[in-house]
Amino acid sequence: MKITEARVIVTCPGRNFVTLKILTDQGLSGLGDATLNGRELAVAAYLTEHLIPCLIGRDAHQIEDIWQYLYRGAYWRRGPVTMSAIAAVDTALWDLKAKAAGMPLYQLLGGRSRNGVMVYGHANGRDIAETADEVQRYLEMGYLAVRAQTGIPGMASTYGVSGDKMFYEPADASLPTENLWSTEKYLAHVPKLFEVLRERFGHGPHLLHDVHHRLTPIEAARLGKALEPHHLFWLEDATPAENQANFRLIRQHTVTPLAVGEVFNTLWDCKLLVEEQLIDYIRTTVVHAGGITHLRRIADFAALHNVRMGCHGATDLSPVCMGASLHLNTAIPNFGVQEYMRHTAETDAVFPHDYRFSNGRLHPGDTPGHGVDIDEQRAAQYPYQRAFLPVNRLEDGTLWNW
Ligand code: GCO
Ligand code: MG
């Protein structure tokens, strides 16, 4: 099955998405997500200028060899732009192989290990009462796991809280907006949120929280300890993880489970975290960590160390990534949970897909491939619009982690 053509489709049905479509001499085509929030055109150019010319004429079945060619062969390794572009090629090739085999992708990855993929939704409110009402709304929709974020008294904005509820979108301006951050106000408030949630909903539902990289290791340890009575499913990105050894300090102080990795691109970014069992869930994704081929390698390595997968699934990862992720999550032994921020109706119409939500779980369909398509005519109606994620400053003006 020879690759005859490949093209990059950039579309903005409410937010930007970059999609790679690979075509073959057998008349089959495959799709891969290449979206990198706020840096979309860098990945599009990497694909168009540097990867697609190397793909034409190759055998689409040689997924591993093509992966190695694009990774080792580039000499310059890793990084979000490179790995998202490689991921798009890899995902499209797995889609093609599964279509050629006439099977849903999870069959090629080892078959079903479970009946559905548990997902968590995002509840957010301006204050604790509003967040608690939002958690209730998710539980009524059948969710088994909910992430809860709340506004902090004395702070104009904080990560994860917005006027939009179901379709929250952080990339909100054509230049980065500037937010202000106070660690002390945040640390004083968040444990109260989970106290209220456990009082109201009991210990049945899984509750999660995302710190979004804003604490130092010792502050993260303090928060983890304060949250212990409320039994979180996980505390996410408690501190930045460029220095993986930072997590040793958090781990020494708390048994609150830890999740990290949505900004990681390769196994090397999480090797120490996994090997030393400093985390419980690894959040790398199909699109940002080198596709199905590399994410499966991360999942297998994690399985050896009792770390489970908890893939990132914000709205800036397209339905193509979600479809592929669901197939992997269906097959691997060490699945934990999948994040699920719902896409808007406009996005769903551009990317028709066969996965379905029921009873707190997403279910991949049985159409051959990963089950997600693109309506190119519809996509063409939504031209690219530059959009940035915000930046964050401490109250004295120091630039901080957003
Ligand atoms: C999450 C994430 C996202 C990111 C976003 C950045 O846990 O869902 O932290 O909301 O902020 O993906 O592009
Ligand atoms: Mg996160």
Side-chain angles (χ1 to χ4, degrees):
M1 184 164 58
K2 269 206 167 54
I3 299 173
T4 50
E5 189 191 335
R7 57 176 178 262
V8 178
I9 304 156
V10 180
T11 180
C12 186
R15 68 151 2 276
N16 293 313
F17 294 109
V18 180
T19 309
L20 175 70
K21 184 169 193 170
I22 297 183
L23 296 97
T24 65
D25 62 356
Q26 311 267 298
L28 291 175
S29 64
L31 287 186
D33 183 19
T35 309
L36 183 62
N37 203 1
R39 296 291 184 271
E40 293 85 0
L41 299 188
V43 186
Y46 194 88
L47 280 164
T48 309
E49 297 298 324
H50 306 292
L51 299 198
I52 289 175
C54 303
L55 293 176
I56 308 303
R58 281 180 196 277
D59 178 1
H61 278 303
Q62 293 186 2
I63 298 178
E64 183 66 44
D65 184 65
I66 291 177
W67 196 96
Q68 299 294 338
Y69 188 88
L70 300 180
Y71 180 83
R72 286 174 198 269
Y75 185 66
W76 311 107
R77 297 185 186 189
R78 307 164 64 189
V81 173
T82 305
M83 296 309 289
S84 301
I86 294 177
V89 174
D90 186 78
T91 308
L93 294 180
W94 277 105
D95 190 28
L96 272 166
K97 193 186 271 298
K99 282 176 179 166
M103 287 181 183
L105 176 55
Y106 67 79
Q107 294 292 12
L108 270 56
L109 301 174
R112 248 182 214 293
S113 288
R114 57 193 53 80
N115 299 322
V117 172
M118 183 171 76
V119 295
Y120 70 90
H122 281 210
N124 78 83
R126 279 161 298 184
D127 54 27
I128 290 178
E130 195 176 271
T131 304
D133 289 347
E134 281 297 301
V135 170
Q136 173 149 354
R137 190 149 78 105
Y138 277 93
L139 296 178
E140 283 166 0
M141 287 166 70
Y143 280 78
L144 305 166
V146 185
R147 188 188 94 161
Q149 308 289 135
T150 186
I152 309 295
M155 273 168 54
S157 65
T158 187
Y159 164 75
V161 178
S162 113
D164 306 328
K165 293 288 179 258
M166 200 61 79
F167 303 113
Y168 165 60
E169 177 51 66
D172 58 0
S174 60
L175 282 174
T177 52
E178 299 223 348
N179 295 345
L180 280 188
W181 175 251
S182 159
T183 295
E184 279 312 317
K185 288 175 185 148
Y186 169 81
L187 283 177
H189 195 63
V190 165
K192 291 182 206 152
L193 167 67
F194 287 91
E195 194 183 321
V196 167
L197 294 180
R198 284 302 183 209
E199 266 167 24
R200 181 157 159 190
F201 303 110
H203 280 265
H206 295 304
L207 296 178
L208 299 80
H209 182 71
D210 190 351
V211 181
H212 222 259
H213 321 271
R214 290 171 183 209
L215 300 178
T216 64
I218 197 66
E219 290 162 352
R222 173 178 148 198
L223 180 63
K225 222 169 176 174
L227 292 172
E228 277 174 16
H230 314 308
H231 297 141
L232 263 59
F233 186 90
W234 80 35
L235 185 66
E236 175 181 336
D237 288 334
T239 196
E242 287 104 324
N243 181 355
Q244 299 176 45
N246 280 345
F247 277 75
R248 290 187 185 131
L249 184 76
I250 309 176
R251 207 54 155 179
Q252 280 159 15
H253 291 285
T254 180
V255 294
T256 291
L258 302 172
V260 74
E262 66 181 42
V263 301
F264 292 170
N265 314 121
T266 69
L267 181 49
W268 303 104
D269 299 326
C270 53
K271 183 170 174 288
L272 183 95
L273 289 169
V274 170
E275 245 167 19
E276 294 192 12
Q277 303 189 18
L278 301 177
I279 55 170
D280 302 280
Y281 297 92
I282 177 72
R283 280 179 52 67
T284 41
T285 58
V286 171
V287 54
H288 298 141
I292 296 278
T293 295
H294 195 67
L295 195 59
R296 189 162 63 157
R297 215 149 264 158
I298 294 176
D300 284 344
F301 181 66
L304 299 179
H305 299 89
N306 301 306
V307 174
R308 292 192 283 165
M309 298 301 290
C311 293
H312 186 204
T315 39
D316 47 290
L317 288 70
S318 93
V320 174
C321 176
M322 180 58 79
S325 188
L326 293 175
H327 284 268
L328 187 73
N329 284 330
T330 295
I332 57 173
N334 54 328
F335 166 71
V337 74
Q338 165 72 54
E339 180 179 17
Y340 178 42
M341 263 173 104
R342 286 165 188 259
H343 289 110
T344 59
E346 278 171 310
T347 297
D348 283 342
V350 169
F351 296 98
H353 52 261
D354 69 353
Y355 57 79
R356 296 284 172 266
F357 175 85
S358 72
N359 302 323
R361 297 189 171 89
L362 277 172
H363 303 268
D366 273 328
T367 33
H370 56 45
V372 186
D373 206 346
I374 189 164
D375 179 335
E376 289 189 66
Q377 277 181 347
R378 222 180 255 270
Q381 291 166 15
Y382 302 105
Y384 168 77
Q385 289 177 18
R386 193 177 68 189
F388 277 93
L389 290 170
V391 297
N392 216 13
R393 290 187 187 277
L394 301 179
E395 286 169 314
D396 70 356
T398 307
L399 197 82
W400 197 239
N401 315 307
W402 176 72

